[in-house]
Amino acid sequence: MDHGGHGMNMDLPPFTLGRGLAFSADPFFLVGCLAALALYGWAVVRLRRRGDGWPVNRIVFFVVGVLSIALVMCTRLNDYGMVMFSVHMIQHMVISMLSPILLLLGAPVTLALRALPVASRRGGKGPRELLLMLLHSRYMKIITHPVFTIPLFIASLYALYFTPLFDFLMGSTAGHLAMMVHFLAVGLVFFWPIMGIDPGPHRPGYVMRMLELFAGMPFHAFFGIALMMASQPMVESYKHPPASLGIDALSDQSWAGGIAWAFSEVPSVLVLIALVFQWYRSDQRLAKREDRAADRDGDQELEAYNAYLASLQARGR
């Protein structure tokens, strides 16, 4: 199989973790990761300078999310991913299911809304107003709705790997980049309404969010099992791995399936923990608001209820 369009060395030594993590930057993703960190850092500094805080845990989540993208796209993992199905599947799973969750836990949209300058004149449109318009646009309502995101999430597996589309995209640098950007984008729009930290047009309740999460995960597991149980290589691009790697295409495909299957569980657990924590925090805030309201009105609601009980008792007499 000709991967010459990627300008990479086909005589790769057998894959080990140390070799895989050696620096080998994809320029597009390297620039993107550095830009994301710079913009996020600028926004945090802007808030701090005007005396506003920003949670450290959100900064950590976002930075780790960006670093997870750099890990799979700016190291030799990316080179090995061109010739080893298992390594490609690590890239796919990290960039579509782990990186988006970490980035969203960093609440970048909320940060942008707080840090971006507002319009200089009344009725005008500054960066903040333009972002708000985008968030409330019909386009955003469509691409974050589960009727759109769940089928897209599933199609990114079955319609890509089990059709000639995957081989077509793997045939050029631009195609491979487009595929990886697509994986990241699909992960972001799928998990955004579920994570629920940043404002968005589709904001379901906590039970609905859990249902949305679990609606897509079984398809991920079935996809992994299908790869593991196949009796022949299913993807043309990985049918003939370089002899220097000393791997068998079918066993490598089985590893890829196992990775896909395992990753259907990992993000589910992470998101579920985050959702339960958010739910708990939401209930705590609601309880505090009700306590404050009771303090303000002298517990009128309780007094009214007691009066109602007294009237019922009087009637009974």
Side-chain angles (χ1 to χ4, degrees):
M1 181 89 189
D2 176 24
H3 292 282
H6 298 272
M8 59 168 284
N9 178 16
M10 288 297 292
D11 296 322
L12 289 167
F15 177 77
T16 62
L17 197 57
R19 287 196 186 100
L21 297 183
F23 185 72
S24 176
D26 176 280
F28 178 86
F29 275 96
L30 180 62
V31 170
C33 288
L34 291 175
L37 291 174
L39 287 169
Y40 196 93
W42 168 84
V44 171
V45 169
R46 186 176 166 86
L47 286 189
R48 294 266 166 88
R49 279 181 177 166
R50 71 181 189 213
D52 292 336
W54 186 252
V56 173
N57 66 313
R58 290 185 178 177
I59 299 172
V60 172
F61 278 129
F62 190 84
V63 170
V64 174
V66 173
L67 292 178
S68 69
I69 297 171
L71 178 72
V72 295
M73 295 308 302
C74 298
T75 64
R76 294 211 79 191
L77 275 175
N78 194 34
D79 296 339
Y80 280 99
M82 297 305 303
V83 290
M84 290 179 68
F85 200 179
S86 55
V87 178
H88 166 83
M89 197 56 71
I90 292 170
Q91 288 181 282
H92 178 172
M93 295 298 114
V94 168
I95 209 168
S96 71
M97 298 187 74
L98 186 60
S99 304
I101 292 169
L102 293 167
L103 293 175
L104 290 166
L105 286 171
V109 176
T110 303
L111 179 62
L113 288 171
R114 289 181 61 184
L116 284 172
V118 297
S120 55
R121 56 191 174 81
R122 187 166 294 193
K125 287 185 174 61
R128 189 175 183 275
E129 287 74 19
L130 290 171
L131 178 56
L132 279 170
M133 277 177 62
L134 177 64
L135 288 174
H136 293 108
S137 67
R138 182 174 294 178
Y139 166 76
M140 206 53 91
K141 284 178 183 171
I142 292 169
I143 69 162
T144 58
H145 197 280
V147 173
F148 179 84
T149 59
I150 294 171
L152 181 67
F153 192 70
I154 297 163
S156 290
L157 295 172
Y158 295 89
L160 182 65
Y161 288 96
F162 298 159
T163 69
L165 181 58
F166 182 81
D167 294 316
F168 171 75
L169 292 172
M170 287 290 284
S172 69
T173 304
H176 183 243
L177 276 177
M179 179 165 52
M180 289 299 174
V181 171
H182 168 79
F183 290 152
L184 179 60
V186 168
L188 287 169
V189 296
F190 178 76
F191 288 111
W192 181 10
I194 294 171
M195 302 307 295
I197 296 177
D198 281 327
H202 176 63
R203 188 59 76 238
Y206 287 99
V207 174
M208 202 61 179
R209 289 183 201 177
M210 290 179 187
L211 289 175
E212 284 182 32
L213 172 66
F214 290 118
M217 293 308 147
F219 293 95
H220 237 277
F222 296 150
F223 168 75
I225 292 166
L227 289 178
M228 290 168 74
M229 296 185 70
S231 57
Q232 61 183 27
M234 298 174 73
V235 178
E236 188 67 35
S237 297
Y238 296 111
K239 270 188 178 176
H240 307 290
S244 61
L245 291 174
I247 60 169
D248 171 62
L250 193 58
S251 62
D252 188 48
Q253 178 174 281
S254 183
W255 273 102
I259 290 161
W261 176 73
F263 255 92
S264 67
E265 306 300 324
V266 174
S268 302
V269 174
L270 286 176
V271 174
L272 204 56
I273 292 168
L275 279 179
V276 169
F277 182 70
Q278 286 174 29
W279 199 345
Y280 170 75
R281 289 279 299 272
S282 175
D283 284 349
Q284 291 285 95
R285 284 195 295 268
L286 184 63
K288 282 180 183 173
R289 277 201 298 270
E290 287 174 350
D291 288 345
R292 282 198 297 268
D295 291 342
R296 281 197 304 271
D297 62 22
D299 243 341
Q300 286 177 2
E301 192 177 329
L302 183 61
E303 285 173 14
Y305 182 66
N306 288 335
Y308 169 70
L309 291 176
S311 70
L312 288 179
Q313 195 174 12
R315 268 186 225 160
R317 290 203 192 102

